[in-house]
Every structure is written in structure tokens, then in C-alpha cells.
């Protein structure tokens, strides 16, 4: 069916030619016609989606000389990627919601729930992702549990790795090769990625190999290069990153296609922890009881994924197609922490071994059915999912001077997490496709079963619950150039192992609560879109209501110690507005051909409704403006981006200092001397601005150590990409 040709409204046309762009380059001015999957689990044009979805293509990542997801998403309004340094990317923040409340998936396979025990010797994060293997990153900005189940309380980030079709350029038999080399000065990293794709009759294969060798990410150049808490320079480190992605597809016949995927990522990070040298612990009446020196770390973080999938074109009454997959994923974070401790409580030279792992088995099946009627059609999507995740900790303390090897307390038990879900969605195209209605519902169950061992010997009961979530959305195409959209959606997050079973009894007592309920969210979103050959824009307003937030509270005293536990007590709200637009300046204002501009802005406010305190996770007002040029034949071009961030002066803890706002300028350019060869270069933070990101500062800092958390000063990057 084709939508009726309707004349563009004056309002839509006016906005399209006067407002600036999103993060898409000039060649992506038809971004509202681009296909996304994350919003409905089926391929849909963005303009038919009833919520705001951000998509970053492989081409955009390459143009930005992005070396990780943080750099790839840095111009995306309403999205913040947090973490750096030794532990790398920690989590994703979508409209003020972060941590384990955001679902992260690679090719539909869920990534580990972030685990941060608070101490500096261990983390377990979903950061093992190599951007050179990606064809797109899609971000669902709002509760997405109806689509993806637990942990999508505030949204979802979906990474899609390349298939052979993304590399091959013809429809026939061929071999395609590529080599990409890059260098980034901020961490002195050299990276090389080799690609091979092949099609021979019914067989398609893909192999991508990546290796990177670099150092720590620098702080601003004025950081003091000293040992101890007044250190301003980053701790010196050596890092190596390797990644292998292999895929194979075989078409058995017209109705059946099977596939195999193998992916392995490894990151080694050896660091001298100079900022911790000389730190000490003191108690009243006792003075200094322990002093730390000779601190260094050896880390090994890796992820292995092996999966099989089957595409079945059924063309039956119940479904047109069935796609199912079975994946095994092993994620492991191993940290070896070396130091020497002296004083009354010191034990001399030691090594604290900390290891966290997830062993995941995940099964997914999705049916799709297109049903046509006289004046409409319906895209039905339904299916099921099941996952079994074995989470385990292995903590061991080696005290070399004392000659002892003892089990280190983990604070939480090993556990098995089971999740299962059933979902159904109907996307209806009505009134000659001018009205698109999307309704979905999902049932999820989950169970967490703790285990006892030498490192955690207290037996606790299992935690289990179920949840039903739904969404209802609509898109109304007012004209060919203007549409409005709205959506109501629900989300939930099952309590993590840490939420349920964390125990601590030093100085204070923290009691587990295995009876926690799932956290819940309800979101409302309303927006407008405009699009034409001149440009495009999208503006959206949202209100997210969160309930049963898991938080800690004091419940009494025992033996002179305060006693705390976790409870479902907090209620919160986050609301805001986002705007993004792109203008082809030559079409709008008769500017030189190939000139385009872009603009985006994100504003949000959030508060804890119980305490009326601000939510620290909500980002300050952020805007990105830019102007770029592409030559008519795409041989050369460039882009200037100006990022403006307001100060962060609202904190739940009054002792946390304000974080100043900043403006930074980035410049990127490319040159293509021959069709298959592209040279790119970028100058970032061009005016050497000294600044801090709010998410690095929310725990507080001393004036002496402030420089240690600063972002890199002026830095640059280059890449050379040859495809043949």
C-alpha cells in the first residue's frame, strides 16, 4: 500500500528549513526513511515509530573516528555513556536512568548486569564491545520491557554486528577484503582491523579481526605527575584489546537459512595505581593503622559468544516467518591487585585476586505475520525467550610476607538467574497508512537462586516474581512532510543478586533482603516530526514515572552498629524535552552545494518524589551544533561540531561540588583519493578546554585530586580504511 500524496503543511516546511540537524551527516538527510529494528523487533521506518529512537550507523562511527561506544554515542541527545580508565565503559544513561536499569544487548544477546561492589579492586561491566564490528547502534529512549523484558526499565541499547551483506557489494559470488588502521592521541592507541567477506552460491561468511595496543587515557595536560591523592595525571597503564568476529550463513533452500556466529573479545589492562600510593586509614584514638604503597594492577576482561540461528520462511496461517536462535555467552572480569600494606593492620606484600563471571544460555524465537485487510494491514509479532545465567565470584587473598592464602569475602553469593517471557505485538497501518497504531504486551517471570560456598556461607531463599508490561503507541501522518507520535509504555527490572543478598558487617551492618519486588516504570512520550528534501526535525517531550526503586535504609542498631537493609521505598520522576534537526543548506538557502548544518538539544529534570531531592543521574542541559560540507562526488568533506554542556549544580548530597559547564569544539575531515580508500582525521577539544563530566564527579572529590578526573585536552586521531 502507498500513503496518499498530501501537500506539506506550511508549519512542517518552515520548521524543516529553519532548524538545524541531528547527528546525521548530509548524506543521511533521509534518516526518517532509515530502517530500525529495536523499536518494534521488526524492520520499520523511523517515521512509523511511535517513540524516539536514536540510531548511529557504521558510517557515522567511522566519520567520528570512534574507537569505542562512548565516542560513537557522544553526539546522541539524551544518551550518556559513562566510565573510562581502568574499568572502561561502566554503563549507559538514557534520559537520566542508568546502571542495571538499562538493557544492553549484542545481536539480541543480553550483556552482563553491571556489578560494582564499591571497592576499587573489582568491577563487572557490559563494556566488551568492539565498534569496528558494528553496523549500527540503536537506542530505545524509554521503558522497553514489553519488547526485551527485565532490565529495560529506562530503555535499551542494542548493538548490531556486521553480516556478510554489510560488506559485500554485489549480489553474486565474490570475495571482499578490508584493512583499517587508526591512531588516537588521547590514549596513544594504534588499532588495526582486517575484514574478509565471501559469498559462494548459498554460502556466506564473514571474518573480522581487530587488535589495538595503547596506554591510559590522558587527563588534561595540567595534571600533576605525582604519587598520592594529589595526583592529577592519569595513572600510567598499558592496554591491549583483541576481538574476533566470525559468521557463516548457509541457505539450505528458499525457505530455510541457518547461521553460526563466534565472537571473542579480550582486554588486558596493566596499571600502576600511583594515585593510591601513600593513602592510609586512621581510626579515632588509634591514629594511622594501615598505609598503602607499591600499588599496581593486572586485569583481564573477556567475553566469548557462540550462537546458532535459523530463519524459516513458513508462509503459513500462523506465521510468515520464524527466526530462532540459541546462544552461549561467557563473560569474565579478572583483576589482580598488588600492593604493600604497613602499619598496625598491615600485612606486607599481597595480591587480592578478584574474578566475576556470567555464564549465559539464551534462547529466542520470534514469529512474524502480515495480515492484509480491505483498507489496512497488521504486522503481528509474537514469540518467547528464555535465559539461564550463572553468576559467580572468586575472591582470594594472597599475603606473600605472611605466607597465607585465604578466601576473600565476596559480600554476595554465587547465584543462578532464570528469566522467561512471552510477548505479542500488533502494528496496524490504517487510513491508507496515515495512522499507525502499535500495541504490545509481554509476560515475564524470573527467579534468582543463591548458592553457598567457602566465600559466602549464609543460606538465603530464592527470589521469584512475574510481571506483565504493555505499551500503546500511535503515529499520525498529518501530511507527507509532517507527523505526530505518542506512546505509553511500561518497564520493570528484576532485583539483582547484589540488591537481594549483599551482606556487610564492618563498622556497620548491611542485612540482605531476599524479598524485594521488581522495580517498575511508566512512561509517556509525545512528539512531532518533519521531513522533506530540505531537511528534517524531531521534537519530543517525555515524562517517566518510576516506582518501587530499590534503596537502602537504616532499620536499627545492633551491638552499637547501625543496621541497614534494602527496601522498595523510592519513587522518582524524570521529565524533559529533546530536539534534533538536520538542514541541507544548499536546498534551504541556496548555499554552496554540499553544505549542511545540524543541531540537537536535550533537557531533563529528575527528582526523588519521597525525599524531593534531585536525581544525580540526570544530565545537565546539553546541546550540539555543527556545520559540515561534502563535495558533490564525495571525494572530500568535513564537519565542525560544537558541544555545549551546562553546569551540574543540583545534587542530592550538598557536599558534592558543582561541576562547571563547558563548550568544546571537534573537527573531522575525510579525503577519498580513490573509490576504495578513505583517509580520515579529527582534532578534538580543539581549544584545549579543561573540563569534567558530571558522571565522574557525583561521588565527590577533593580540590587536590580534581585534575585526576578531568577529560583529555586537545587531542587528535587519524584512520586509513581500504576496502577491495
Amino acid at each position: 500500500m502507498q500513503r496518499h500524496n498530501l501537500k506539506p503543511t506550511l508549519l512542517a516546511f518552515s520548521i524543516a528549513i529553519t532548524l538545524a540537524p541531528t547527528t546525521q551527516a548530509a548524506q543521511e538527510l533521509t534518516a526518517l526513511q532509515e530502517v530500525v529494528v529495536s523499536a518494534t523487533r521488526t524492520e520499520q521506518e523511523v517515521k512509523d515509530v511511535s517513540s524516539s529512537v536514536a540510531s548511529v550507523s557504521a558510517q557515522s562511527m567511522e566519520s567520528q573516528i570512534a574507537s569505542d561506544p562512548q565516542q560513537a554515542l557522544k553526539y546522541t541527545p539524551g544518551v550518556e555513556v559513562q566510565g573510562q580508565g581502568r574499568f572502561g565503559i561502566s554503563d549507559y544513561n538514557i534520559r537520566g536512568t542508568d546502571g542495571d536499569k538499562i538493557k544492553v544487548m549484542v545481536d539480541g544477546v543480553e550483556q552482563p548486569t553491571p556489578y560494582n561492589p564499591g571497592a576499587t579492586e573489582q568491577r563487572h561491566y557490559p563494556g566488551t564491545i568492539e565498534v569496528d564490528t558494528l553496523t549500527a547502534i540503536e537506542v530505545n529512549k524509554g521503558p522497553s520491557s514489553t519488547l526485551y523484558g527485565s532490565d529495560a526499565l529506562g530503555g535499551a541499547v542494542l548493538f548490531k554486528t556486521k553480516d556478510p551483506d554489510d560488506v559485500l557489494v554485489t549480489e553474486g559470488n565474490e570475495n571482499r577484503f578490508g584493512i583499517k588502521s587508526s591512531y588516537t592521541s588521547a590514549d596513544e592507541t594504534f588499532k588495526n582491523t582486517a575484514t574478509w567477506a565471501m559469498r559462494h552460491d548459498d554460502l556466506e561468511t564473514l571474518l573480522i579481526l581487530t587488535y589495538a595496543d595503547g596506554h591510559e587515557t590522558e587527563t588534561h595536560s595540567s595534571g600533576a605527575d605525582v604519587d598520592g591523592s594529589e595526583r592529577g595525571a592519569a595513572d600510567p597503564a598499558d592496554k591491549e584489546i583483541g576481538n574476533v568476529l566470525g559468521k557463516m550463513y548457509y541457505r539450505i533452500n528458499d525457505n530455510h537459512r541457518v547461521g553460526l556466529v563466534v565472537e571473542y573479545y579480550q582486554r588486558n589492562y596493566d596499571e600502576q595505581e600511583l594515585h593510591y600510593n601513600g593513602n592510609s586509614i586512621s581510626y579515632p584514638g588509634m591514629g594511622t593503622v594501615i598505609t598503602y604503597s607499591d600499588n599496581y594492577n593486572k586485569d583481564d576482561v573477556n567475553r566469548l559468544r557462540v550462537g546458532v540461528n535459523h530463519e524459516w520462511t513458513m508462509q503459513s496461517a500462523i506465521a510468515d516467518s520464524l527466526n530462532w536462535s540459541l546462544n552461549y555467552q561467557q563473560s569474565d572480569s579478572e583483576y589482580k591487585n598488588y600492593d604493600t600494606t604497613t602499619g598496625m593492620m598491615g600485612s606486607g606484600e599481597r595480591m587480592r585476586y578478584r574474578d566475576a563471571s556470567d555464564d549465559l544460555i539464551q534462547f529466542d524465537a520470534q514469529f512474524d505475520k502480515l495480515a492484509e485487510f480491505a483498507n489496512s494491514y497488521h504486522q503481528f509479532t509474537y514469540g518467547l525467550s528464555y535465559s539461564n545465567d550463572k553468576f559467580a565470584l572468586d575472591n582470594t587473598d594472597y599475603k606473600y610476607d605472611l605466607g597465607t592464602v585465604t578466601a576473600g569475602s565476596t559480600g554476595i553469593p554465587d547465584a543462578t538467574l532464570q528469566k522467561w517471557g512471552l510477548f505479542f505485538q500488533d502494528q496496524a497501518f490504517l487510513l491508507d497508512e496515515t495512522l499507525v497504531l502499535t500495541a504490545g504486551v509481554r509476560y515475564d517471570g524470573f527467579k534468582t537462586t543463591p548458592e553457598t560456598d567457602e566465600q559466602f556461607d549464609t543460606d538465603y531463599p530464592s527470589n521469584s516474581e512475574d510481571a506483565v508490561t504493555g505499551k500503546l503507541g500511535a503515529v499520525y501522518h498529518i501530511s507527507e512532510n509532517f507527523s505526530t507520535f505518542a506512546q505509553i509504555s511500561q518497564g520493570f527490572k528484576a532485583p539483582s543478586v547484589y540488591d537481594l543478598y549483599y551482606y556487610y558487617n564492618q563498622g556497620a551492618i548491611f542485612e540482605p533482603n531476599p524479598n524485594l519486588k521488581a522495580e517498575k516504570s511508566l512512561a509517556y512520550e509525545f512528539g512531532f516530526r518533519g521531513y522533506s528534501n530540505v531537511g528534517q526535525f524531531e521534537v519530543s517531550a517525555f515524562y517517566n514515572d518510576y516506582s518501587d526503586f530499590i534503596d537502602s535504609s537504616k532499620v536499627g542498631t545492633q551491638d552499637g552498629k547501625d543496621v541497614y537493609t534494602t527496601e522498595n521505598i523510592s519513587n522518582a520522576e524524570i521529565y524533559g524535552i529533546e530536539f534534533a534537526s538536520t538542514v541541507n543548506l544548499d536546498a534551504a538557502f541556496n548555499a554552496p552545494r554540499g553544505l549542511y548544518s545540524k543541531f540537537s538539544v536535550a533537557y531533563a529534570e529528575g527528582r526523588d518524589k519521597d525525599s524531593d531531592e534531585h536525581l544525580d543521574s540526570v544530565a545537565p542541559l546539553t546541546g550540539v551544533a555543527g556545520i559540515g560540507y561534502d563535495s558533490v562526488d564525495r571525494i572530500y568533506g568535513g564537519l565542525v561540531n560544537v558541544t555545549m554542556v551546562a553546569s551540574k549544580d543540583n545534587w542530592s548530597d550538598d557536599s558534592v561540588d558543582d561541576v562547571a559547564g563547558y563548550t568544546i569544539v571537534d573537527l573531522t575531515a575525510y579525503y577519498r583519493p580513490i573509490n576504495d580508500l578513505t583517509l580520515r582525521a579529527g582534532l578534538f577539544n580543539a581549544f584545549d578546554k579543561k573540563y569534567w563530566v558530571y558522571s565522574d564527579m557525583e561521588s565527590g572529590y577533593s580540590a587536590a585530586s580534581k585534575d585526576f578526573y578531568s577529560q583529555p585536552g586537545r587531542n587528535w586521531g587519524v584512520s586509513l580504511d581500504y576496502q577491495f
Side-chain angles (χ1 to χ4, degrees), residues 629-686:
Y629 173 78
D630 290 311
S631 65
V632 176
D633 48 12
R634 307 290 183 188
I635 291 179
Y636 59 90
L639 175 65
V640 179
N641 269 326
V642 180
T643 301
M644 299 157 284
V645 180
S647 61
K648 175 75 171 179
D649 52 13
N650 293 321
W651 297 95
S652 60
D653 184 350
D654 292 337
S655 67
V656 179
D657 292 339
D658 295 349
V659 179
Y662 57 88
T663 298
I664 58 173
V665 178
D666 299 332
L667 302 90
T668 56
Y670 70 90
Y671 174 58
R672 187 174 293 111
I674 59 176
N675 188 49
D676 294 326
L677 179 65
T678 305
L679 173 65
R680 295 184 175 89
L683 180 64
F684 307 102
N685 192 3

Side-chain angles (χ1 to χ4, degrees), residues 270 367 369 462 562:
D270 296 344
F367 297 85
K369 178 65 179 179
S462 299
D562 292 334

Side-chain angles (χ1 to χ4, degrees), residues 20-22 585 596-600 624-628 639-642 644:
T22 71
L585 296 176
Y596 63 95
S597 68
K598 64 176 191 167
F599 180 72
S600 67
V624 179
I627 187 166
L639 175 65
V640 179
N641 269 326
V642 180
M644 299 157 284

Side-chain angles (χ1 to χ4, degrees), residues 65 67 71 182-190 684 715-718:
I65 317 180
S67 60
Q71 296 178 17
S182 63
Y183 174 80
T184 51
S185 70
D187 54 5
E188 298 181 343
T189 293
F190 288 94
F684 307 102
N715 64 96
W716 54 275
V718 294

Side-chain angles (χ1 to χ4, degrees), residues 2 55 113 202 308 330 367 373 539 670:
Q2 297 297 322
S55 178
T113 298
D202 294 319
V308 294
Q330 200 278 336
F367 297 85
F373 299 94
V539 58
Y670 70 90

